[in-house]
Amino acid sequence: MTPPIIERDPSDPQKAKKEAINPALKLVLELGPLMVFFFANTRGEWLAQKFPVLADFGGPIFIATGLFMAATVIALAVSWALVRSLPIMPLVSGVVVLVFGALTLYLQDDVFIKMKPTIVNTLFGVVLLGGLAFGKSLLGYVFDSAFRLDAEGWRKLTLRWGLFFLFLAVLNEVVWRNFSTDFWVAFKVWATIPITILFTASQMPLIMRHSLDGEPGK
């Protein structure tokens, strides 16, 4: 079965509105909650002193979890207000953050929030590779893509991203099980994000070769 082709339609005001979003704002919405998580974990004791209500959450990792949940909800709400739709990946990730964050706070056990990246990345990896097993390339739906690729391009890109998601899941398990909480939080922000950016950039040659938006290979 031919994979879906996700393309821009200038006549669609919804898509036109989505394209008009400032890239800087989009980046803030995507990375903002993670930066809040990192800051709150690093300055948890200071935050508890300045805002005593936060002390009810527990130690720094629990304060960070609570603020991470709040920041995630705010980011999703702003995205919805701007485009009246939510991409699948941020939505699923947000739901997992809220569920595992709530378990973390209720049970006072940071294992749940540490497992969140493992759950999310494994879920997307299995979905993408499982879709390929049934002849479907679902990457365009997962990323809410606006580019067009031929069937071979979608298949290759979906395979690569599926394997990369599983790699991130394994990497998260290795880090949180073998290093301190502070190291895991820092790694989540300052290592995982650059790794993902580098991987994304490395896929551009494949996208260019299989693009249907212009001449092949251009």
Side-chain angles (χ1 to χ4, degrees), residues 86-211:
L86 292 174
I88 292 177
M89 190 169 183
L91 178 60
V92 172
S93 181
V95 170
V96 176
V97 165
L98 295 179
V99 172
F100 279 70
L103 289 172
T104 296
L105 297 179
Y106 181 73
L107 299 175
Q108 287 291 288
D109 189 344
D110 60 10
V111 168
F112 291 100
I113 197 63
K114 290 177 178 178
M115 289 183 63
K116 175 262 173 183
T118 301
I119 299 299
V120 170
N121 288 318
T122 299
L123 176 62
F124 283 115
V126 169
V127 167
L128 292 180
L129 296 180
L132 282 181
F134 289 95
K136 296 182 179 180
S137 297
L138 304 175
L139 188 66
Y141 293 117
V142 170
F143 282 155
D144 195 33
S145 298
F147 51 81
R148 304 171 67 238
L149 302 179
D150 59 31
E152 183 66 11
W154 277 120
R155 189 189 67 78
K156 290 181 179 179
L157 196 61
T158 299
L159 176 61
R160 293 182 183 185
W161 271 102
L163 294 175
F164 181 69
F165 277 125
L166 295 183
F167 163 75
L168 290 180
V170 172
L171 184 61
N172 182 69
E173 286 294 295
V174 170
V175 172
W176 84 259
R177 291 181 183 275
N178 293 280
F179 297 91
S180 68
T181 296
D182 288 343
F183 182 90
W184 171 77
V185 173
F187 185 88
K188 178 179 173 65
V189 176
W190 304 115
T192 303
I193 292 175
I195 289 172
T196 302
I197 292 174
L198 288 175
F199 175 80
T200 302
S202 72
Q203 304 311 303
M204 290 310 298
L206 183 149
I207 292 174
M208 296 296 289
R209 286 197 304 270
H210 294 276
S211 175

Side-chain angles (χ1 to χ4, degrees), residues 5-21:
I5 294 177
I6 311 299
E7 59 181 317
R8 292 185 177 93
D9 181 0
S11 65
D12 186 340
Q14 184 63 45
K15 291 186 179 181
K17 185 178 182 181
K18 184 182 298 186
E19 292 176 6
I21 296 177

Side-chain angles (χ1 to χ4, degrees), residues 14-31:
Q14 184 63 45
K15 291 186 179 181
K17 185 178 182 181
K18 184 182 298 186
E19 292 176 6
I21 296 177
N22 188 305
L25 176 58
K26 183 178 180 181
L27 185 64
V28 169
L29 293 175
E30 292 177 352
L31 300 184

